[in-house]
Amino acid sequence: MNSLSGKWTLITGSSRGIGQQIALGLADHQCNLILHARKIGHLDKTVQLVAGHNVDVHCVAGDVGTPEGRQMILEGVEDGPDRVDILYNNAAIMSPWKEIWEITEEDWQQTFAVNLFGVVELCRHFVPAMVARKFGRVVNLSSGIRDIPQLAPYSVSKAAVDKYTADLAAQLKETNVLVNALDPGWLKTDLGGPDADYEVETVLPGALVPALLEAGGDSGKVFAAQDYRV
């Protein structure tokens, strides 16, 4: 198991839900945290929860779905630790429920802007420095959603994340930068809704597995958090 002590992890969308749980799990491994939300104030609860874990915490804000928002995130990281060793691309939005023939181009564009283009742009910025340092872990949040055509923009965006993850992993062979996707399961979160199969806490410990991989570990794989549920 790879030691995370002293490493810096950026977790997008860590004000609540899955991102907040990932932050708590990483703090237990003495991993320093860069917490992200669209507004800094939204991170107060997560900051309180990780207090006392003997880790450094830095907060950044910005909308991952816009170029301006992503630039705010990058500048926030530069103003803090100015490095990201582990990147969790967790932030995502759900597309509105519509019959598939009623889904508009705007629906597709809005969903892909956050769920795919945000992932691509953050990887494009942070991964080259990981390669230069000869260490990096990238975890892109995927989804097991299927056969729900009313949510096609969401499901297709997550399928695109899986493909991008595989392509990036292929590019990074032999670099000790491992890139994997994580299917958290259907969780009771603001996005997943109250009828989901699992409580959000069940995303741990599985969500940490891709970050804890040793050099030479899996890359280009989709990990299922619920496979590790205790």
Side-chain angles (χ1 to χ4, degrees), residues 23-226:
L24 287 166
L26 291 170
D28 285 338
H29 284 269
Q30 284 71 60
C31 186
N32 298 323
L33 304 171
I34 305 171
L35 304 176
H36 160 266
R38 281 179 291 178
K39 295 183 179 180
I40 288 288
H42 294 170
L43 292 167
D44 290 349
K45 179 63 174 179
T46 307
V47 171
Q48 292 172 9
L49 288 172
V50 300
H53 280 75
N54 194 33
V55 297
D56 292 330
V57 178
H58 181 70
C59 295
V60 299
D63 184 349
V64 299
T66 69
E68 297 81 9
R70 291 191 288 268
Q71 185 60 35
M72 288 176 58
I73 296 168
L74 301 182
E75 291 175 359
V77 172
E78 291 173 0
D79 290 341
D82 197 21
R83 66 180 291 158
V84 171
D85 302 299
I86 303 163
L87 172 62
Y88 272 87
N89 280 307
N90 168 70
I93 60 172
M94 179 60 74
S95 54
W97 184 279
K98 295 182 180 180
E99 295 304 322
I100 193 165
W101 50 83
E102 295 176 353
I103 299 170
T104 67
E105 181 177 343
E106 182 180 10
D107 294 328
W108 287 96
Q109 290 176 340
Q110 289 178 343
T111 306
F112 269 65
V114 176
N115 296 4
L116 179 64
F117 303 148
V119 171
V120 171
E121 287 303 300
L122 291 183
C123 287
R124 194 165 70 89
H125 181 85
F126 290 117
V127 167
M130 295 179 184
V131 173
R133 292 193 298 268
K134 300 181 180 180
F135 177 88
R137 301 290 181 266
V138 177
V139 187
N140 297 326
L141 269 288
S142 181
S143 174
I145 189 172
R146 57 178 52 85
D147 300 330
I148 306 179
Q150 295 85 354
L151 297 176
Y154 176 79
S155 60
V156 174
S157 71
K158 289 301 186 177
V161 166
D162 290 347
K163 176 57 177 168
Y164 175 72
T165 299
D167 285 348
L168 184 57
Q171 175 68 43
L172 297 174
K173 285 182 179 178
E174 312 300 330
T175 65
N176 196 29
V177 179
L178 306 180
V179 186
N180 290 288
L182 173 72
D183 176 4
W186 187 20
L187 302 177
K188 295 177 182 177
T189 62
D190 290 346
L191 190 148
D195 298 325
D197 292 333
Y198 307 108
E199 299 295 334
V200 68
E201 291 82 4
T202 64
V203 77
L204 297 177
L208 305 184
V209 171
L212 291 166
L213 292 170
E214 296 278 4
D218 288 317
S219 196
K221 177 180 176 180
V222 179
F223 286 86
Q226 298 305 317

